Amino acid sequence: MADKETNAQINLEASADDRKGRYANFFTISTGDRVSMLDCFLIDVVAESDDGQIRNGVLTSRVLMDAASAVQLRDMLSEHIEKNGWAHDNA
């Protein structure tokens, strides 16, 4: 017996500030027993020193997801990157 595709309606809401989005240019991911945590940071160059640039960053968002959602995110990003022809050297 074939699985029947179900139609589901999902209503999503966000505040006006959240709809503006947040810029991030550095990401980390960590995994616990049941949840993965994707942290998104905005890293700025704030000063120069004899040793090079001194950088500060601020957490712009944190996404908590289960393992299946992390895999789904990976697959969506891979598909999007391939569709747009991005390579590491031209992204």
Side-chain angles (χ1 to χ4, degrees), residues 14-82:
S15 70
D17 281 342
D18 288 339
R19 288 193 306 267
K20 292 177 187 175
R22 306 286 185 270
Y23 180 79
N25 56 5
F26 181 79
F27 305 90
T28 64
I29 190 163
S30 58
T31 302
D33 291 336
R34 298 175 52 115
V35 175
S36 291
M37 184 167 46
L38 175 64
D39 286 331
C40 310
F41 296 90
L42 170 60
I43 304 294
D44 289 352
V45 176
V46 295
E48 294 282 338
S49 74
D50 292 339
D51 296 328
Q53 296 176 336
I54 300 171
R55 297 174 183 239
N56 276 349
V58 61
L59 180 70
T60 60
S61 62
R62 173 171 281 169
V63 179
L64 303 176
M65 64 185 91
D66 61 14
S69 296
V71 170
Q72 184 180 16
L73 175 62
R74 178 204 61 199
D75 293 346
M76 287 187 319
L77 288 170
S78 293
E79 181 181 330
H80 183 77
I81 289 166
E82 280 184 30

